[in-house]
Amino acid sequence: MFINGVVIVLQEILEAALMLSLLLSFLHYINRAYAGQTYMRRTWVTYSIVIGVLFAWIYSVNFSRVSEAFDYVGLEITNATIHSLSSLFLICIAWLVPSREHAGFQLNSGHRAQLLTVCMIAVVVLAILREGSEIFQFGGGVLGRDEATSILSGGLIGAGIGVCTGVLLYYALTGLPARLSLRACTLLLALTAGNMASQAVLLLTQADWISYSSTAWSSESLLSEASVVGQLAYALIGYESSPSWLQVGAYFIGGLFVLVSPISRTAWVNKAHWD
Amino acid sequence: MRSIRVFLVATIVAILILFNFVAALQGYQSSMREADKLFDNQMLVVAKLVANLDVTEEKLTELKLGSDLAFQIWQGDELLAASANTPNTRLREFVPGFDFINFNSYRWRALSQYEEMNDRWVIIAERTDLRFVLAENVVLQSILPLLLGIPIVGILVWILVSRGLAPLTSLSLALKRKPANDLSPLEFSDSRVELEQMLASINGFIARLEAAMDREKRFSADAAHELRTPISALKIQLHNLADSVDPKTPAYRELQDGIDRMQHLIEQLLSLYRSSPEQFEQNSKPVKLFDLVQELVARLYPEFEKKDQMISLEGDAEFEGEELVVNGDAFALETMLTNLMMNASRYTPKGGQIVVSLSRKAGRIRLVVEDDGIGIPEEDRARIFDRFTRLSSAQERGILGCGLGLAIVQHVATLHNTQVEVGPSRFATGSAFSIEFLPWAEREAKDMKDEKDLGA
């Protein structure tokens, strides 16, 4: 029971924590690259977490009602919508992060900074809504049971590992030299956007809204999804050992939209101020 | 701004938690495996015991086995004895060793063993869920203290990191407390090996700064003397020249303008160098802003009168019973105000209006100098504070100036922790320069708060 608590909470917390670390690393990059011109605050993070937790709780108490909608595939459809929106907002973030290509660009002019903050809030709220609702559902089922202490201890260990991995990822990303940090951030952003799109496709396939496509490959023997590394890879880059062709396509398209953004070109192609 | 303390505490605690928790998970899994082996060994002992049982009814009822354990004793196809919670069929095939089986709606760990002496097959089964809970309860006793210990570890790390960073914080405080005009080497008793190089560099920098300041002071004094004297001589010569040359001739007027311009430029340059940060700290004291403005308006009145301009002062010495007092260098403020007012006069045609107003706005003292002169185009407003910047509109109108007045105004405003804003005036034309000062009492409170924040 203890190990179930660890695995379930770790999966959910790790994904949300890594997403938050990634966004905060982007903020750090903007504040470093545009020092003196602008300073994007991080106060929204607390509000986003509170709003996300509130939405997650509302969603979890209405799970049964939601699941009955759309001919009993309501949960799949709602989760697919949440994943699609997350992917969309992540792509928007990639296009809104100011790049060095915009000579004389002022982040504070216009509504770019506000739009960027709104997109980041949306991504965090959606991540916590998605992952938090499952933790609430899990916690609700555990309370009052004999094994509650053992499961909750497992949950705490899982949450601790997830949050600490997020903290270390943030400091690792922000501690890198500027160009390397931006490269890692944009790459992770592309992988996360692709992962969200791929998850949306998987959920829509499960709901039978999209017809099933054949399995593209199976790498279960190389890296099992159930292993610790497999779980970390799932949370970080959306690793699946046997994805369908449609999932692979969605992953590719989601990632591509990020990789063709100006900030990605700044990180990977153009000569920037740090060269 | 990133904090070294937060970085160190967050990363150290995160690494500690991560390693401890992963180790705890690893420990949990290996302990559970060991507990399984222990239970299996226990089953082997029980199987041996059961195999040698007297299978008469009386003896069996004496054998009290819990509901989590089941057994069957077979001789060929005959069931000799069994616990009450087993079916009449074989629990599993007669294959020696362990396996998992399902019956009575539970999953069981089963052991089959052949006892040669009695020619019996014994099957022992133990409920896996109860075995698991029992094992887990034992293992968790070693993991729970880890969870409870994490907050204590966090607090200890915070205290240790804070203690480790204390010399750095003290050094920052010592630097902040050091008056800007104090260019003596920094004495820091709580030095550590890591801070020695930094302290040596700071003191080296202070020494170089002191040398540079001395050079600048000497230059200012020399320049004041060496440049003012020949200009005064030139002015006397010009005055004498008026006896032999008509002062209205263009050549004479241009010469006079040139000498005036040079005198003005030298005075402005000297003002710029005199208002340095360290002199500001040295001369900083409470200044009654209204009294200063009033005195300057009176002093400069003849200059406005020359151009038939009307200058007025709006506001009172007190606002809601409180005097408008700022913390500043009276000489620097005087230079700033003179420049603003003379600038207004210069760029306002004859008969124009100039208004100086003082008010309290959102806890700050607001000073505005505005006129109905030629004004400043919006696109030029950002660069008028640059040194030696003169707008083409002023040059076209033949207005004299050296382009340093507003640079001095900006410089003095910066020394007073504020900035100059320029915009349209209340009149149809002209511009307004506004500066907001922090009142004396609030400035004191802010300085104390800054010091406290640094120490926190």
Side-chain angles (χ1 to χ4, degrees):
Chain A
M1 290 302 110
F2 168 82
I3 209 76
N4 291 350
V6 174
V7 171
I8 291 170
V9 176
L10 176 62
Q11 266 183 352
E12 312 304 338
I13 295 271
L14 192 60
E15 221 174 305
L18 295 182
M19 183 87 83
L20 192 57
S21 301
L22 184 59
L23 296 185
L24 287 175
S25 304
F26 261 111
L27 274 195
H28 180 80
Y29 160 75
I30 293 168
N31 288 337
R32 185 158 62 166
Y34 293 88
Q37 288 179 47
T38 187
Y39 182 76
M40 285 191 72
R41 295 184 172 277
R42 290 182 292 189
T43 39
W44 56 267
V45 175
T46 319
Y47 301 119
S48 312
I49 293 173
V50 173
I51 296 169
V53 170
L54 189 73
F55 281 1
W57 177 74
I58 294 170
Y59 185 35
S60 74
V61 294
N62 289 296
F63 254 25
S64 55
R65 210 170 301 166
V66 175
S67 66
E68 285 166 15
F70 300 107
D71 283 334
Y72 294 92
V73 287
L75 276 181
E76 284 80 359
I77 301 302
T78 314
N79 285 339
T81 311
I82 293 172
H83 279 90
S84 311
L85 285 173
S86 298
S87 180
L88 195 70
F89 281 121
L90 286 169
I91 292 167
C92 289
I93 288 171
W95 282 82
L96 284 168
V97 171
S99 73
R100 285 280 157 181
E101 280 179 12
H102 305 120
F105 166 79
Q106 293 290 311
L107 191 66
N108 284 332
S109 66
H111 300 290
R112 200 178 185 115
Q114 287 93 324
L115 264 175
L116 190 57
T117 311
V118 168
C119 287
M120 287 190 175
I121 290 174
V123 168
V124 175
V125 169
L126 287 171
I128 295 175
L129 166 66
R130 202 172 58 231
E131 314 300 343
S133 59
E134 290 181 29
I135 293 176
F136 274 123
Q137 191 70 8
F138 170 70
V142 164
L143 288 178
R145 277 170 59 177
D146 292 341
E147 312 95 324
T149 316
S150 138
I151 298 172
L152 289 179
S153 307
L156 275 176
I157 297 255
I161 295 176
V163 171
C164 292
T165 311
V167 168
L168 292 178
L169 179 77
Y170 168 73
Y171 281 113
L173 283 176
T174 54
L176 288 172
R179 190 182 184 108
L180 214 57
S181 167
L182 188 61
R183 279 184 174 179
C185 284
T186 45
L187 187 65
L188 280 177
L189 192 71
L191 294 173
T192 315
N195 175 23
M196 291 295 125
S198 158
Q199 291 297 312
V201 167
L202 177 68
L203 286 159
L204 289 175
T205 312
Q206 283 169 1
D208 215 13
W209 278 33
I210 291 180
S211 52
Y212 175 78
S213 68
S214 57
T215 303
W217 66 74
S218 176
S219 51
E220 182 66 27
S221 54
L222 285 173
L223 179 60
S224 163
E225 273 180 48
S227 67
V228 176
V229 181
Q231 300 236 346
L232 192 69
Y234 170 79
L236 200 61
I237 60 168
Y239 170 75
E240 273 197 44
S241 58
S242 47
S244 70
W245 279 113
L246 262 178
Q247 274 182 273
V248 174
Y251 198 114
F252 180 74
I253 292 168
L256 191 69
F257 272 113
V258 173
L259 288 176
V260 295
S261 66
I263 190 65
S264 191
R265 282 205 300 277
T266 300
W268 293 92
V269 185
N270 294 349
K271 282 213 168 270
H273 61 293
W274 45 68
D275 285 322
Chain B
M1 206 172 286
R2 295 180 92 186
S3 154
I4 299 176
R5 190 187 338 218
V6 172
F7 164 73
L8 285 174
V9 173
T11 47
I12 292 172
V13 172
I15 289 170
L16 276 176
I17 292 180
L18 208 57
F19 273 88
N20 273 308
F21 283 7
V22 172
L25 281 182
Q26 202 65 36
Y28 167 86
Q29 280 173 327
S30 52
S31 301
M32 289 300 278
R33 274 196 299 272
E34 287 305 312
D36 248 355
K37 279 186 200 162
L38 204 71
F39 283 125
D40 284 351
N41 286 338
Q42 205 180 355
M43 281 176 76
L44 281 169
V45 175
V46 175
K48 208 152 197 78
L49 195 76
V50 171
N52 295 312
L53 273 179
D54 186 351
V55 291
T56 57
E57 193 76 22
E58 295 79 34
K59 291 281 178 190
L60 276 178
T61 49
E62 282 173 18
L63 189 69
K64 294 236 185 302
L65 292 173
S67 61
D68 56 329
L69 204 68
F71 75 90
Q72 286 182 332
I73 306 171
W74 292 85
Q75 199 157 46
D77 287 336
E78 187 190 351
L79 180 62
L80 297 179
S83 57
N85 53 359
T86 55
N88 292 328
T89 51
R90 280 181 201 169
L91 287 175
R92 63 178 296 227
E93 292 304 311
F94 293 154
V95 182
F98 289 96
D99 200 1
F100 288 99
I101 55 172
N102 299 318
F103 69 90
N104 276 0
S105 314
Y106 288 106
R107 188 158 176 79
W108 301 72
R109 174 75 164 164
L111 165 70
S112 308
Q113 209 166 351
Y114 179 66
E115 188 62 42
E116 261 187 86
M117 212 163 67
N118 304 323
D119 183 30
R120 288 175 179 177
W121 271 98
V122 177
I123 302 171
I124 301 284
E126 199 171 27
R127 261 173 62 183
T128 51
D129 57 329
L130 297 177
R131 236 167 99 111
F132 187 83
V133 168
L134 200 63
E136 196 173 75
N137 282 341
V138 174
V139 175
L140 280 181
Q141 295 309 313
S142 62
I143 290 177
L144 284 177
L146 255 183
L147 280 174
L148 299 173
I150 287 300
I152 299 166
V153 170
I155 293 167
L156 281 176
V157 169
W158 179 269
I159 292 170
L160 287 175
V161 167
S162 299
R163 276 193 69 82
L165 289 175
L168 197 62
T169 314
S170 308
L171 181 64
S172 308
L173 265 175
L175 277 171
K176 188 178 165 58
R177 283 187 186 138
K178 197 172 170 61
N181 59 333
D182 176 11
L183 295 176
S184 61
L186 185 71
E187 283 176 15
F188 190 63
S189 55
D190 192 19
S191 186
R192 307 286 163 103
V193 179
E194 291 83 356
L195 291 182
E196 254 174 33
Q197 181 55 48
M198 193 197 280
L199 196 63
S201 300
I202 289 171
N203 281 335
F205 179 71
I206 290 174
R208 286 198 300 279
L209 188 67
E210 192 180 17
M213 291 305 305
D214 279 345
R215 276 199 303 276
E216 195 181 299
K217 265 183 213 163
R218 277 201 303 276
F219 169 78
S220 298
D222 292 351
H225 183 259
E226 297 298 327
L227 294 173
R228 273 178 183 156
T229 312
I231 285 173
S232 301
L234 269 177
K235 286 200 107 170
I236 292 166
Q237 294 300 331
L238 188 70
H239 182 76
N240 294 340
L241 193 65
D243 294 338
S244 48
V245 179
D246 181 7
K248 286 177 185 161
T249 56
Y252 185 91
R253 288 178 70 92
E254 270 177 35
L255 185 63
Q256 192 175 29
D257 285 349
I259 293 172
D260 284 346
R261 203 156 44 230
M262 194 189 290
Q263 188 180 21
H264 177 68
L265 176 65
I266 288 165
E267 290 300 332
Q268 293 285 54
L269 273 172
L270 289 175
S271 317
L272 196 62
Y273 284 109
R274 272 187 208 136
S275 50
S276 58
E278 52 288 340
Q279 274 164 334
F280 172 77
E281 286 286 335
Q282 206 169 18
N283 303 329
S284 188
K285 59 183 181 191
V287 178
K288 290 180 182 175
L289 207 54
F290 187 85
D291 292 357
L292 182 68
V293 175
Q294 202 172 32
E295 190 191 320
L296 281 173
V297 168
R299 199 193 300 166
L300 298 172
Y301 194 78
E303 299 293 329
F304 298 107
E305 209 174 19
K306 275 185 204 165
K307 288 180 79 177
D308 291 330
Q309 288 166 338
M310 202 171 83
I311 178 147
S312 52
L313 172 60
E314 289 179 357
D316 286 312
E318 287 184 1
F319 183 82
E320 292 174 356
E322 204 179 305
E323 276 193 311
L324 302 178
V325 181
V326 299
N327 175 38
D329 176 351
F331 174 75
L333 284 172
E334 192 182 308
T335 310
M336 180 178 85
L337 282 164
T338 307
N339 270 312
L340 277 176
M341 285 195 254
M342 289 315 294
N343 218 44
S345 168
R346 208 170 294 133
Y347 294 98
T348 303
K350 275 192 168 185
Q353 286 190 77
I354 293 144
V355 180
V356 184
S357 55
L358 272 169
S359 58
R360 281 289 299 247
K361 190 190 163 195
R364 287 178 162 252
I365 298 171
R366 186 177 162 85
L367 169 83
V368 185
V369 178
E370 51 195 324
D371 58 61
D372 61 352
I374 59 171
I376 303 159
E378 201 170 343
E379 62 272 18
D380 289 333
R381 283 177 192 161
R383 62 185 189 99
I384 53 167
F385 297 105
D386 295 342
R387 289 179 185 189
F388 301 106
T389 298
R390 297 211 59 224
L391 298 183
S392 52
S393 53
Q395 287 172 7
E396 282 160 13
R397 285 176 168 83
I399 299 170
L400 290 179
C402 59
L404 275 175
L406 287 175
I408 292 169
V409 170
Q410 175 85 304
H411 180 61
V412 175
T414 309
L415 284 178
H416 287 78
N417 276 326
T418 182
Q419 53 187 12
V420 192
E421 279 174 18
V422 59
S425 74
R426 64 175 79 175
F427 307 107
T429 57
S431 45
F433 289 86
S434 55
I435 306 164
E436 288 184 0
F437 296 94
L438 203 60
W440 165 253
E442 282 163 43
R443 173 76 190 271
E444 287 281 283
K446 188 178 177 293
D447 283 353
M448 279 171 73
K449 188 180 174 294
D450 285 352
E451 210 157 287
K452 204 176 151 193
D453 287 348
L454 194 66

